[in-house]
Amino acid sequence: MSGDGVVAHNRRTYIAENVDPTRTHLNTEYCYTPIEDAYHQLFDEAQAEYNAKQKRKDRRIENYYEKICKSDQEKPFYEVIFQVGNKDDMAADGENAELAKTILDKFYHSFLERNPQLHVYSAHLHMDEATPHLHIDFIPFTTGSKRGLSTRVSLKQALADQGITGEGRSLTERDLWVQKEKEFLATIMLEHGIEWEQKGEHKEHLSVLEFKREKRKEELAELEQTIERVQQQQVSIKAVEQIEAKPLPLTSKVAVEREDYQMLVTAAQKYVVQEKQESKLKKLLREAKKTITDLKAKIESLVVELATTKDELAQYKSVRGQLRTADLEQENDRLRKRLHTYDDVISRNNLWSYFSKHKEKVIQKRDTR
């Protein structure tokens, strides 16, 4: 956490809704220094040394606290909150409130001893909320730095100076440190007859850190066993080359040791298996190449066929365009008129009797036309 509001809340400069003012007097303020003053105490000497070495004014640091506040690499301070139990079993107004206070008080003083690279400038024990809890605000710092200020802000390096190094993003220095602090708190709890119920753990009486390391050890052991099995299956070329055949007297045959003979048999068996596998793979490769060749030929054939089809279509379009559709329509009109003329002549001269057999068909065809 960061921001002035955190410290203001911790010091009860303002009273939040979840605070019972009638119990605020039970709180404990272990220490408090304005953060700007804490920065002056920690870094002024290193800042002066750094600035003295700078020949360019624009490289000098006028206010280290403001520089860190604007930094994307580090935070100006960190806050951790420790609590024992919850409002149901360790309520601040319940019978176990003093017990929780005693445990947290002892933990705070041991915290200072364990973390010399974490400068605590504000620490408060609250007894006026639902559950007793401890706020510790600190500035992590490292000394003897060759980059920038000799004494500078760095959580990663501060924890490293205390012997805590991470194991990658899955388990950072901060994760390890928090876990260790929880374990220290659990130790103090146990001294007062309270056992840490590690909710979500897959193994009883095993911390999160130990569980992760145990899993990694198991995975490593499985990997080593796998490698060993693979190595045992491999043919030892050197061992085969070192086998010495001893000539038998009075015969052209030679003899080898039983162990060497067994090794040769094993090597021969493995060679046969490898040859079979290689032959099978070569066959599959040949089939794959043949399939590819056939597909290429089919594609080439389809390309030629497509080109031919396109040519035929172009020719069809050309022929259709050349058709004299207008002349055909005129011819049809001329024939229809001539037919009507014939019909009129037949009708005027009462000649349909001679065409009675064909009249119906003629009229039907004419109507259709």
Side-chain angles (χ1 to χ4, degrees):
M1 301 181 182
S2 62
D4 295 336
V6 175
V7 176
H9 168 74
N10 294 348
R11 300 193 70 211
R12 295 298 186 253
T13 303
Y14 73 90
I15 305 298
E17 294 181 358
N18 62 327
V19 173
D20 182 358
T22 63
R23 298 206 311 273
T24 298
H25 67 281
L26 300 174
N27 294 347
T28 301
E29 182 176 274
Y30 292 107
C31 67
Y32 170 70
T33 302
I35 190 169
E36 293 88 346
D37 294 345
Y39 263 74
H40 286 308
Q41 295 173 12
L42 283 171
F43 306 112
D44 271 5
E45 183 177 348
Q47 178 180 320
E49 292 176 356
Y50 174 82
N51 288 339
K53 297 178 182 178
Q54 305 305 315
K55 297 180 179 180
R56 291 171 45 183
K57 291 184 178 181
D58 60 336
R59 295 181 62 88
R60 296 178 182 177
I61 299 174
E62 300 299 331
N63 189 313
Y64 188 59
Y65 172 67
E66 291 181 358
K67 176 180 173 61
I68 295 298
C69 287
K70 297 176 182 178
S71 172
D72 295 329
Q73 302 295 326
E74 299 290 347
K75 295 181 179 180
F77 76 95
Y78 293 82
E79 178 177 277
V80 285
I81 304 174
F82 295 93
Q83 175 178 306
V84 177
N86 54 44
K87 61 182 180 61
D88 297 324
D89 51 34
M90 281 284 183
D93 57 354
E95 59 181 359
N96 291 324
E98 285 301 316
L99 176 59
K101 183 177 182 178
T102 300
I103 293 172
L104 292 172
D105 179 80
K106 187 172 183 179
F107 173 77
Y108 168 71
H109 289 95
S110 66
F111 180 93
L112 299 177
E113 296 174 0
R114 283 191 306 276
N115 298 285
Q117 300 301 125
L118 308 181
H119 178 76
V120 177
Y121 71 94
S122 177
H124 298 80
L125 175 62
H126 289 160
M127 301 295 293
D128 55 358
E129 296 180 49
T131 308
H133 57 275
L134 175 66
H135 293 260
I136 301 178
D137 300 273
F138 63 87
I139 303 168
F141 69 96
T142 181
T143 57
S145 177
K146 296 181 179 179
R147 180 173 59 87
L149 274 63
S150 58
T151 301
R152 60 184 178 87
V153 173
S154 174
L155 178 62
K156 181 182 179 71
Q157 192 57 48
L159 295 178
D161 292 345
Q162 295 181 179
I164 301 175
T165 55
E167 300 179 10
R169 292 184 178 181
S170 61
L171 199 60
T172 65
E173 293 80 3
R174 188 174 181 179
D175 294 333
L176 288 169
W177 173 72
V178 169
Q179 180 62 27
K180 287 182 177 294
E181 290 301 316
K182 288 181 179 180
E183 291 173 356
F184 279 114
L185 178 58
T187 301
I188 298 174
M189 288 163 53
L190 196 59
E191 293 174 358
H192 292 80
I194 301 175
E195 186 177 354
W196 179 17
E197 181 185 358
Q198 299 183 38
K199 296 182 179 180
E201 280 298 310
H202 300 286
K203 289 188 177 182
E204 192 176 3
H205 307 302
L206 190 63
S207 70
V208 176
L209 175 59
E210 290 171 343
F211 176 72
K212 288 184 177 180
R213 286 180 173 170
E214 189 71 19
K215 290 295 292 183
R216 291 188 180 183
K217 287 181 181 178
E218 292 175 3
E219 293 172 359
L220 181 60
E222 291 178 2
L223 180 60
E224 289 176 346
Q225 290 177 3
T226 302
I227 294 173
E228 186 178 353
R229 287 196 299 270
V230 172
Q231 290 175 341
Q232 290 175 352
Q233 293 173 359
Q234 293 177 345
V235 178
S236 178
I237 303 300
K238 287 186 177 181
V240 172
E241 291 176 347
Q242 291 175 358
I243 295 176
E244 183 180 356
K246 300 177 181 178
L248 295 175
L250 305 177
T251 178
S252 59
K253 297 181 179 180
V254 295
V256 296
E257 298 291 337
R258 181 179 297 276
E259 183 178 351
D260 293 339
Y261 172 76
Q262 188 59 46
M263 182 182 296
L264 285 171
V265 171
T266 302
Q269 290 173 344
K270 290 182 178 180
Y271 175 77
V272 171
V273 172
Q274 291 173 357
E275 282 292 309
K276 288 182 178 180
Q277 290 178 343
E278 186 176 351
S279 175
K280 186 176 181 180
L281 289 173
K282 286 181 178 179
K283 182 180 178 181
L284 292 173
L285 182 60
R286 285 195 301 270
E287 292 176 354
K289 287 182 177 179
K290 184 178 182 302
T291 302
I292 292 172
T293 302
D294 293 343
L295 286 173
K296 285 183 177 180
K298 183 65 175 177
I299 291 171
E300 291 175 358
S301 174
L302 289 173
V303 169
V304 173
E305 185 177 345
L306 178 61
T308 304
T309 303
K310 285 182 177 180
D311 291 340
E312 291 176 354
L313 180 60
Q315 292 176 6
Y316 168 74
K317 288 181 178 180
S318 176
V319 171
R320 188 182 63 179
Q322 294 174 2
L323 290 177
R324 300 173 61 185
T325 56
D327 294 342
L328 291 174
E329 288 293 333
Q330 291 178 1
E331 181 66 18
N332 284 337
D333 290 340
R334 188 178 63 79
L335 291 173
R336 279 196 293 269
K337 290 178 181 180
R338 179 175 294 183
L339 182 61
H340 282 296
T341 301
Y342 293 156
D343 288 345
D344 292 340
V345 171
I346 293 172
S347 296
R348 285 197 304 271
N349 294 282
N350 295 319
L351 298 176
W352 279 115
S353 58
Y354 296 100
F355 300 97
S356 58
K357 295 181 180 180
H358 305 285
K359 181 178 180 181
E360 185 177 350
K361 293 182 178 180
V362 171
I363 293 173
Q364 186 177 2
K365 288 182 180 180
R366 182 188 65 189
D367 293 340
T368 302
R369 292 194 186 97

